Amino acid sequence: MTVDVIVEDARWDPAGLEALAATACAATMAHLGYGTDWEVGLLACDDARIAVLNGEFRAKGQPTNVLSWPAEDRAAAAPGQSPAKAQPDVPAEPLELGDIAIAFDTCQREAAEQGKEFATHVTHLLVHATLHLLGYDHIDDKDAALMEGLEVEILGNLGISDPYEA
């Protein structure tokens, strides 16, 4: 599993984002039985940059914590179902899973508001975004239950408690 990180906001540097991303993405892929022949692009930015991206791609011109762009549509056929698993036959090089953008300001604010460690919150968001790249979503209640359940399992394997518990 390769995570190519581009840091646009230097406040990410002391957070160890590259290590957090490598751990979160690899744990997600391993939990779902994927091999290691995958690549993710990660943009570490601020709220201003993610607001522009959110406006361009989702018509929501405000900051958000994380965005993801899958390299291909892997969505499930019906709500509550797992997406079809894509695996390379014999890859010559890592296959692109997709891209993620994560905003420092929003992540920092949310972690403080929720009383969570910054690294723990960021890890959760990276697991969440990786699941999006794999075709999982949370628009429908059944899809949300499936995706959140996977997040809890993956984070639990990393020693991180349920992020949805009050």
Side-chain angles (χ1 to χ4, degrees), residues 97-116:
L97 189 59
D99 297 313
I100 298 169
I102 190 163
F104 185 87
D105 310 274
T106 298
C107 290
Q108 186 178 51
R109 186 186 74 253
E110 289 175 345
E113 289 170 354
Q114 297 170 22
K116 296 178 180 174

Side-chain angles (χ1 to χ4, degrees), residues 11-106:
R11 293 176 295 170
W12 281 108
D13 291 338
L17 182 62
E18 290 188 23
L20 294 175
T23 299
C25 294
T28 303
M29 299 299 281
H31 185 77
L32 295 171
Y34 281 84
T36 58
D37 298 319
W38 296 91
E39 181 176 68
V40 171
L42 176 60
L43 174 66
C45 60
D46 61 11
D47 271 6
R49 175 77 154 124
I50 211 161
V52 169
L53 294 170
N54 205 15
E56 281 181 34
F57 293 98
R58 297 179 64 226
K60 297 179 179 184
Q62 69 238 14
T64 188
N65 50 22
V66 68
L67 293 171
S68 57
W69 296 271
E72 66 181 73
D73 184 6
R74 294 180 175 87
Q81 293 181 348
S82 293
K85 186 173 175 184
Q87 280 287 43
D89 291 329
V90 181
E93 58 188 60
L95 294 177
E96 184 180 343
L97 189 59
D99 297 313
I100 298 169
I102 190 163
F104 185 87
D105 310 274
T106 298

Side-chain angles (χ1 to χ4, degrees), residues 114-137:
Q114 297 170 22
K116 296 178 180 174
E117 294 286 329
F118 182 73
T120 298
H121 186 55
V122 168
T123 300
H124 173 215
L125 292 172
L126 292 169
V127 167
H128 180 89
T130 304
L131 287 170
H132 276 309
L133 297 181
L134 291 167
Y136 291 88
D137 212 325

